[in-house]
Amino acid sequence: RGAGKIEAAESRNKLPRLAPSLPTDPALYSGPFPFYRRPSELGRFSLDAQRQYHGDARALRYYSPPPTNGPGPNFDLRDGYPDRYQPRDEEVREGLDHLLRWLLEHRGQLEGGPGWLAGAVVTWRGHLTKLLTTPYERQEGWQLAASRFQGTLYLSEVETPAARAQRLARPPLLRELMYMGYKFEQYMCADKPGGSPDPSGEVNTNMAFCSVLRSRLGSHPLLFSGEVDCTDPQAPSTQPPTCYVELKTSKEMHSPGQWKSFYRHKLLKWWAQSFLPGVPSVVAGFRNPEGFVCSLKTFPTMEMFEYVRNDCDGWNPSVCMNFCDAFLSFAESTVVQDDPRLVHLFSWEPGGPVTVSVHQDAPYAFLPMWYVEAMTQ
Ligand code: 0WD
Ligand code: CA
């Protein structure tokens, strides 16, 4: 099950040595749920309105839903578009840089004992989310660049040519839809605990609060960071990550068929994204065709699978986690040479297996010189 398939012909037989690849068919990964360590928060950092890094929680916001006894929400998600919108410059390729800065500043205080980092995988949560959903994904492929440095395996996403073309040709309606997701956050979050949201201000997507987490999938220790929308000051436990809340918007649904499709496709992505860092719930705002959110629903992460448990065309958390485990084993056994300038590029398109190509230096090398040099001291 799931081991990197080495279609290798023995070289002494003078047969061509085929590159190894990893299949992604869900049926291959339907074993029992693998071990996944309860994620714990190692630290936090913030990116400000100018996308500058700060080693603190200044960008953390506080969950502040409308009062339950009141009239209910009536959020105009199109308000402020485009005049009060400061979108992040998507041409800037940040790679793992912000996470690496955190790691550099905290490498001396990491738990897990000496050598823990040397055995770990370091990446963004969003990259792991893509791995978890791969067995079910039918639309978008991905590319992950991998480098081994001082034992640690670093994974950093590369924008595929198709994704870049789509981004550059993004239709105006899709741009507005992206804004609406951020606007929803502004209606639901306050800058101070117990404060009220202020939707009159600007939406600046340079700002981000990121949690840095430790976990382990099977035999793979993980250090990853994810952007967190807000913390709930009234959560039963104020201990991160269990105080965190993920906010999402989705189209209002009216027919059982629409709900079924939502459970099959959207809930999978929501589950994968929040399960990884241990964020216990996702609060959805459902928008009507005019762009107003008039209803909210909380989905506990650990209950999302129930909506598709009895659906033969549903998703299975075990498949997601077993595939990710298999990919990490595949990557660990492929990226053997310790060299920050060497990149193994893992590529996947729907319907095919994960394939590998090897590259040296630009344009694929992603570990910055400032990081490599500081770590070599
Ligand atoms: O350069 C890249 N290819 C990426 C950079 C891809 C993904 C993330 N990032 C960076 C960004 O600096 C971002 O601040 O990682 C940070 C967030 O990482 P993540 O938590 O691992 O990303 P993900 O789980 O995919 O997305 C979480 C949120 C999104 O919220 P929704 O509700 O839409 O899932 O992070 C935001 C977005 O608000 N986000 C991004 N922000 C800036 N740049 C990006 C991005 N490329 N992707 C998602
Ligand atoms: Ca969100």
Side-chain angles (χ1 to χ4, degrees):
R1 161 175 66 82
K5 184 174 58 174
I6 300 172
E7 304 167 83
E10 294 266 14
S11 57
R12 70 174 88 92
N13 291 344
K14 306 277 198 261
L15 291 170
R17 186 184 293 278
L18 297 181
S21 66
L22 180 73
T24 65
D25 186 340
L28 298 171
Y29 299 99
S30 62
F33 196 87
F35 175 82
Y36 189 65
R37 181 191 191 269
R38 180 164 48 87
S40 54
E41 185 175 79
L42 295 177
R44 354 168 92 179
F45 61 87
S46 295
L47 304 175
D48 67 19
Q50 287 76 41
R51 201 72 180 169
Q52 294 304 302
Y53 175 100
H54 301 274
D56 55 44
R58 69 182 67 187
L60 176 60
R61 292 179 294 176
Y62 299 84
Y63 183 60
S64 177
T68 41
N69 53 5
N74 187 37
F75 303 148
D76 180 1
L77 300 186
R78 300 164 69 186
D79 178 54
Y81 186 80
D83 35 292
R84 281 180 285 130
Y85 186 27
Q86 308 272 13
R88 186 186 73 95
D89 180 357
E90 291 176 282
E91 279 298 307
V92 181
R93 315 267 22 117
E94 295 176 328
L96 298 183
D97 291 9
H98 299 304
L99 172 56
L100 296 180
R101 172 153 180 198
W102 181 91
L103 190 48
L104 194 55
E105 288 172 5
H106 295 86
R107 68 189 190 282
Q109 303 114 260
L110 286 183
E111 43 175 69
W116 182 84
L117 183 59
V121 174
V122 171
T123 192
W124 284 112
R125 177 271 308 272
H127 302 357
L128 295 172
T129 305
K130 288 196 178 177
L131 288 170
L132 259 63
T133 58
T134 294
Y136 300 107
E137 177 64 43
R138 286 152 185 254
Q139 315 251 333
E140 278 164 23
W142 47 255
Q143 290 189 315
L144 276 176
S147 289
R148 193 179 291 285
F149 174 51
Q150 297 180 343
T152 307
L153 187 67
Y154 296 86
L155 299 176
S156 181
E157 189 180 21
V158 174
E159 189 176 42
T160 63
R164 176 174 169 80
Q166 274 193 28
R167 173 169 62 78
L168 295 176
R170 194 179 285 147
L173 272 171
L174 207 59
R175 292 171 197 265
E176 187 167 19
L177 212 54
M178 288 178 62
Y179 170 83
M180 291 163 73
Y182 295 112
K183 188 68 189 177
F184 178 61
E185 296 174 7
Q186 202 184 49
Y187 279 110
M188 295 288 289
C189 297
D191 286 343
K192 300 200 164 58
S196 295
D198 174 16
S200 73
E202 301 216 314
V203 170
N204 185 323
T205 58
N206 288 297
M207 287 165 71
F209 166 77
C210 293
S211 172
V212 182
L213 299 131
R214 172 189 172 187
S215 183
R216 177 162 57 89
L217 173 56
S219 63
H220 306 289
L222 304 173
L223 188 154
F224 58 93
S225 176
E227 191 174 326
V228 168
D229 289 331
C230 56
T231 184
D232 182 358
Q234 306 199 336
S237 162
T238 57
Q239 190 183 189
T242 59
C243 53
Y244 293 149
V245 179
E246 171 66 32
L247 302 172
K248 294 286 187 198
T249 62
S250 198
K251 243 196 201 137
E252 242 175 31
M253 286 166 293
H254 300 284
S255 72
Q258 290 174 331
W259 280 100
K260 176 135 276 183
S261 169
F262 166 81
Y263 300 146
R264 284 178 181 170
H265 305 290
K266 245 182 190 178
L267 265 199
L268 163 60
K269 301 213 167 164
W270 293 5
W271 171 80
Q273 187 187 43
S274 286
F275 177 76
L276 282 163
V279 171
S281 50
V282 177
V283 174
F286 294 102
R287 52 180 155 73
N288 65 22
E290 292 72 45
F292 281 72
V293 163
C294 303
S295 67
L296 302 172
K297 184 173 165 70
T298 299
F299 293 92
T301 306
M302 298 312 276
E303 294 172 18
M304 292 179 182
F305 173 53
E306 301 308 323
Y307 292 97
V308 291
R309 189 189 284 274
N310 299 313
D311 180 350
C312 5
D313 290 319
W315 46 274
N316 186 323
S318 301
V319 169
C320 301
M321 299 303 279
N322 285 325
F323 172 74
C324 187
D325 188 0
F327 173 82
L328 295 175
S329 298
F330 179 53
E332 291 281 5
S333 62
T334 304
V335 187
V336 177
Q337 201 177 323
D338 203 291
D339 178 350
R341 296 165 56 178
L342 182 69
V343 170
H344 281 77
L345 185 66
F346 294 88
S347 302
W348 179 73
E349 286 301 328
V354 180
T355 60
V356 198
S357 57
V358 192
H359 308 266
Q360 186 85 38
D361 295 314
Y364 288 111
F366 62 88
L367 290 172
M369 198 163 66
W370 56 260
Y371 181 73
V372 172
E373 286 184 347
M375 292 289 280
T376 311
Q377 296 315 307

